[in-house]
Amino acid sequence: MTSAPSSPLLSPLHDRHVALGAKMADFGGWEMPIEYPGGGVVAEHTAVRERVGIFDVSHLGKASVTGAGAADFVNACLTNDLRRIAPGSAQYTLCCDESGGVVDDLIAYLRADDDVFLIPNAANTAEVVRRLQAAAPDGVEVTGRHQDFGVVAVQGPRSDEVLQALGLPTGHDYMSFVEADWQGAPVIVCRTGYTGERGYELVPKWDDAPALWDALVAAAADQGGIPCGLGARDTLRTEMGYPLHGQDLSLEISPVQARSGWAVGWKKDTFWGKEALVAEKAAPTRLMRGLLVTGRGIPRAHCGVTRDGATVGEVTSGTFSPTLRQGIALAMLAPAVADGETVEIDVRGRSLPATVVKPPFVQTQTRQA
């Protein structure tokens, strides 16, 4: 895997975050807002669950795969089956290596049979592009476009009202996108997100992102919404049980272990890592579970998990749930551990009781029409 650059990269919205007084931190090689003044993570999390929040996620990667047979090529490489969707739809998928480990998880936008737009994670974009370029047949071009586009997420029950205020399309199906125009500039509007709430991800050109951000923030304020940082994005996704690459998915944690097999086209003739994943599917050695803390404390990644004194796994992501007002975690556990069982999490030498559950931890309206 490629390492992050020595100096962090900057979003096209960086000056907006600085002007708002955001707390900034390195995220996948990019200096991004973690939280803003005026309430921090909990207030931002609550805004998304109850009203609407605006996120800058321009650090996410972008790449294009174009040319005759581009969709078939992507389908032969990545795990999910692009034949399940039609042009105008997006799909969650994974890039695996031959061992079945996850190089990255990403969203594929199927624009046409000869045009697939990919949004990988920030730190993994160069590696995903490299692998695809190395495998591409004649006539198929793979182009890294990381800094050609920004990405702004509008998430929450009032997200439609925010987009409507700007004259942008709303109401299309979950995991579908519309190629729209805003003030003479192109923008992709996709009904996706990483929060569990109804929402959209907007993909404008890099230089068009600041004006779009300003308009979205102003429209959100009319709905009681606020800008939100990556701290709230993390608590929101953990409440939904959504995996984060590098913690809940990695070269050591396969889609089978992470219970992401729903994003694998098992009946496809080929995809990277298929042989290893098919073999693992028959007898997995560990599986992702949710842990709902019943005591007082917050679990963190790498905390050990025991049952009746015996080690049964390890926390991969842990946080305080602002919605539930208690600790929650995702953990890799032995397959014999069942939902409903009580386990103990070792938090700095203190034993924290928790119940094994199936995520999501909270119910939301992601797919509501």
Side-chain angles (χ1 to χ4, degrees), residues 48-49 92 94 105 107 121 155 174-175 191-199 201 232-249 258-260 262 288-290 316-319 328-332 358-368:
V48 173
R49 287 280 180 250
Y92 177 80
L94 304 110
D105 61 334
I107 302 291
N121 284 294
Q155 299 285 299
Y174 181 61
M175 296 300 288
R191 261 207 67 197
T192 51
Y194 196 50
T195 66
E197 294 296 337
R198 182 181 180 87
E201 290 181 317
R233 181 175 161 91
D234 190 61
T235 56
L236 289 158
R237 70 92 189 170
T238 305
E239 286 188 344
M240 296 307 299
Y242 294 160
L244 175 65
H245 190 275
Q247 292 184 198
D248 315 297
L249 290 166
R259 291 193 161 184
S260 297
W262 60 270
M288 183 75 73
R289 294 287 205 285
T316 55
S317 287
T319 192
I328 58 173
L330 301 176
M332 281 292 168
K358 181 180 179 180
F361 295 94
V362 300
Q363 297 301 313
T364 62
Q365 300 177 350
T366 309
R367 298 172 184 264
Q368 185 179 12

Side-chain angles (χ1 to χ4, degrees), residues 16-183:
R16 266 55 174 182
H17 306 315
V18 172
L20 288 170
K23 178 182 178 181
M24 307 295 287
D26 181 89
F27 197 92
W30 292 69
E31 187 172 271
M32 298 298 293
I34 302 303
E35 61 182 67
Y36 297 88
V41 171
V42 172
E44 293 166 18
H45 179 111
T46 302
V48 173
R49 287 280 180 250
E50 297 180 355
R51 301 178 303 279
V52 65
I54 313 295
F55 297 82
D56 176 18
V57 286
S58 298
H59 65 299
L60 293 175
K62 304 97 190 171
S64 293
V65 184
T66 57
D72 287 340
F73 166 65
V74 170
N75 203 35
C77 299
L78 307 184
T79 60
N80 215 333
D81 192 347
L82 273 177
R83 292 171 296 187
R84 295 174 180 169
I85 66 172
S89 294
Q91 185 182 69
Y92 177 80
T93 188
L94 304 110
C95 175
C96 291
D97 68 5
E98 291 308 310
S99 73
V102 180
V103 176
D104 197 26
D105 61 334
L106 59 158
I107 302 291
Y109 288 56
L110 181 60
R111 303 177 80 173
D113 289 340
D114 61 356
D115 189 351
V116 182
F117 186 68
L118 304 176
I119 299 189
N121 284 294
N124 302 328
T125 299
E127 180 64 9
V128 170
V129 169
R130 185 194 70 79
R131 287 174 181 253
L132 289 170
Q133 287 176 336
D138 290 343
V140 172
E141 184 174 1
V142 181
T143 307
R145 309 189 69 183
H146 205 151
Q147 291 176 275
D148 289 349
F149 300 94
V151 186
V152 180
V154 181
Q155 299 285 299
R158 299 183 189 172
S159 55
D160 282 43
E161 288 85 346
V162 172
L163 267 64
Q164 288 163 4
L166 274 64
L168 289 169
T170 61
H172 40 293
D173 291 341
Y174 181 61
M175 296 300 288
S176 72
F177 63 91
V178 175
E179 307 219 26
D181 176 278
W182 183 71
Q183 295 190 346

